């Protein structure tokens, strides 16, 4: 069992907290039991699981799933605390191969496009909501790193199941590239949907979100927390929807506003199912 905080494993785990470390090892770090369990739902196993003896005693079923195909390294709790970003680790971490991340199909019907989402918590929640709404891929124009530990945690492991594509290396290039992808989507008969606050004065034709046919091939576009969707991206939108809310609130948090939009298709499907039964 590793008990020294100076062990090379500590340096490796801390390195995986950074993008450069993940690229060097072609792996990402999963902290905690829940993310490990989500990893086991994929077609790939972690290459290594780092755990305390106490954790192993309490999770024999998980260890059985890992069998002999994953290296198990025992460490002391203080070593794990030194290695991870979590303040109080629950006793386990795993190294997961980048090739295990999901890949999108050839022709996704429902796409979530994000313009420079900066907050890792918001991005993680958007992953979670998009997966719940059965969207097939996310386009990420700049913004927070989707493999950041805060994103992984707030997504509750959804990043391991929701395909995503990073667009551009800078804010300006990502905007240009997203505009190009949106124009291609329009040529392929997708509706590109933007959101506008009900309190905003605009000359655009805006409808309540439930009046849109979300079952059509759709790209839903959501913008930066501070500045919203960039003007050139907004200009690509073929449709605009709004979420009615009190005028006492200027705008909604992007992750909160996304929930009813991403789940509307599921709501309609459920209502139709109930109507058929009755």
């Amino acid at each position: 069992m590793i008990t020294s905080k100076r062990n090379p494993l500590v340096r490796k785990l801390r390195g995986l907290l950074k993008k450069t470390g993940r690229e060097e090892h072609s792996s990402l770090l999963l902290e905690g039991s829940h993310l490990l369990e989500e990893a086991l739902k994929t077609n790939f196993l972690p290459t290594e699981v780092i755990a305390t003896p106490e954790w192993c005693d309490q999770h024999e079923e998980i260890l059985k799933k890992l069998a002999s195909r994953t290296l198990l390294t025992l460490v002391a709790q203080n070593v794990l605390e030194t290695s991870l970003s979590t303040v109080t680790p629950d006793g386990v971490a795993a190294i997961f191969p980048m090739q295990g991340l999901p890949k999108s199909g050839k022709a996704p019907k429902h796409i979530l496009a994000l313009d420079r989402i900066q907050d890792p918590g918001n991005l993680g929640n958007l992953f979670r909501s998009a997966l719940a709404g059965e969207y097939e891929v996310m386009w990420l124009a700049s913004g927070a790193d989707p493999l950041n530990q805060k994103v992984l945690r707030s997504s509750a492991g959804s990043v391991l199941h929701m395909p995503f594509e990073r667009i551009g290396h800078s804010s300006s290039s990502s905007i240009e590239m997203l505009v190009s992808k949106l124009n291609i989507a329009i040529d392929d008969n997708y509706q590109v949907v933007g959101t506008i606050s009900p309190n905003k004065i605009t000359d655009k034709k805006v409808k309540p979100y439930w009046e849109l046919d979300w079952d059509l091939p759709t790209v839903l576009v959501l913008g930066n927390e501070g500045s919203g969707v960039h003007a050139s991206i907004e200009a690509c939108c073929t449709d605009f929807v709004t979420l009615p809310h009190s005028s006492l609130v200027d705008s909604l948090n992007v992750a909160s506003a996304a929930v009813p939009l991403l789940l509307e298709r599921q709501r309609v499907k459920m209502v139709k199912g109930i109507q058929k039964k009755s």
Side-chain angles (χ1 to χ4, degrees):
M1 183 173 72
I2 296 174
T3 58
S4 172
K5 296 179 182 180
R6 296 182 180 180
N7 189 280
L9 177 64
V10 174
R11 188 163 56 251
K12 179 181 179 179
L13 294 178
R14 293 203 66 81
L16 289 173
L17 296 174
K18 303 174 182 177
K19 184 179 180 181
T20 53
R22 292 193 290 271
E23 291 175 347
E24 178 185 350
H25 296 284
S26 297
S27 302
L28 63 148
L29 182 63
L30 305 178
E31 300 186 8
S33 302
H34 181 73
L35 288 180
L36 173 56
E37 289 172 349
E38 289 301 315
L40 294 178
K41 296 177 184 177
T42 71
N43 294 323
F44 289 79
L45 286 175
T47 55
E48 184 174 1
V49 168
I50 303 93
T52 63
E54 294 79 10
W55 184 91
C56 292
D57 290 341
Q58 297 168 13
H59 297 84
E60 292 183 2
E61 291 302 314
I62 293 180
L63 292 177
K64 287 179 183 178
K65 294 178 183 178
L66 296 170
S68 59
R69 292 173 291 172
T70 297
L71 174 65
L72 175 63
T73 301
L74 296 179
V75 297
Q77 179 69 21
N78 64 335
V79 173
L80 208 58
E81 291 173 354
T82 302
S83 306
L84 307 182
S85 66
T86 309
V87 177
T88 308
D90 71 355
V92 70
I95 298 176
F96 189 75
M98 287 282 204
Q99 68 187 86
L101 291 172
K103 298 173 178 60
S104 63
K106 292 183 179 180
K109 187 178 177 182
H110 294 89
I111 301 165
L112 175 60
L114 302 179
D115 174 21
R116 298 164 296 150
I117 299 297
Q118 299 294 331
D119 184 83
N122 283 337
L123 182 56
N125 277 299
L126 287 164
F127 264 98
R128 195 172 184 178
S129 298
L131 186 64
E134 295 184 352
Y135 275 60
E136 291 120 314
V137 66
M138 288 171 61
W139 292 344
L140 311 180
S142 190
D145 184 346
L147 300 181
N148 175 292
Q149 290 300 314
K150 291 182 179 179
V151 177
L152 290 171
R153 283 196 293 272
S154 59
S155 80
S158 297
V159 175
L160 301 177
H161 306 295
M162 170 58 67
F164 66 86
E165 180 183 344
R166 290 278 274 175
I167 300 173
H169 298 289
S170 65
S171 178
S172 57
S173 68
S174 67
I175 291 169
E176 291 176 5
M177 292 177 69
L178 182 54
V179 166
S180 176
K181 289 178 75 68
L182 292 176
N183 283 324
I184 292 172
I186 293 170
D187 290 340
D188 290 336
N189 296 316
Y190 282 76
Q191 57 183 0
V192 176
V193 183
T195 60
I196 291 183
S197 169
N199 304 318
K200 181 178 179 180
I201 298 174
T202 178
D203 58 356
K204 296 180 174 64
K205 185 179 179 180
V206 184
K207 64 180 73 173
Y209 71 90
W210 56 84
E211 290 185 4
L212 193 76
D213 184 355
W214 293 94
D215 202 42
L216 296 173
T218 301
V219 183
L220 172 61
V221 181
L222 299 174
N224 176 269
E225 292 90 342
S227 58
V229 175
H230 190 275
S232 58
I233 295 175
E234 186 176 274
C236 295
C237 294
T238 60
D239 297 86
F240 291 92
V241 296
T242 189
L243 289 84
H245 59 76
S246 169
S247 60
L248 294 175
V249 176
D250 180 54
S251 62
L252 297 172
N253 169 275
V254 63
S256 300
V259 172
L261 304 178
L262 292 168
L263 297 183
E264 175 62 10
R265 192 160 49 96
Q266 303 301 314
R267 185 195 68 81
V268 172
K269 188 188 301 183
M270 180 181 290
V271 169
K272 288 180 178 179
I274 293 172
Q275 291 173 342
K276 283 184 179 179
K277 290 180 181 179
S278 60

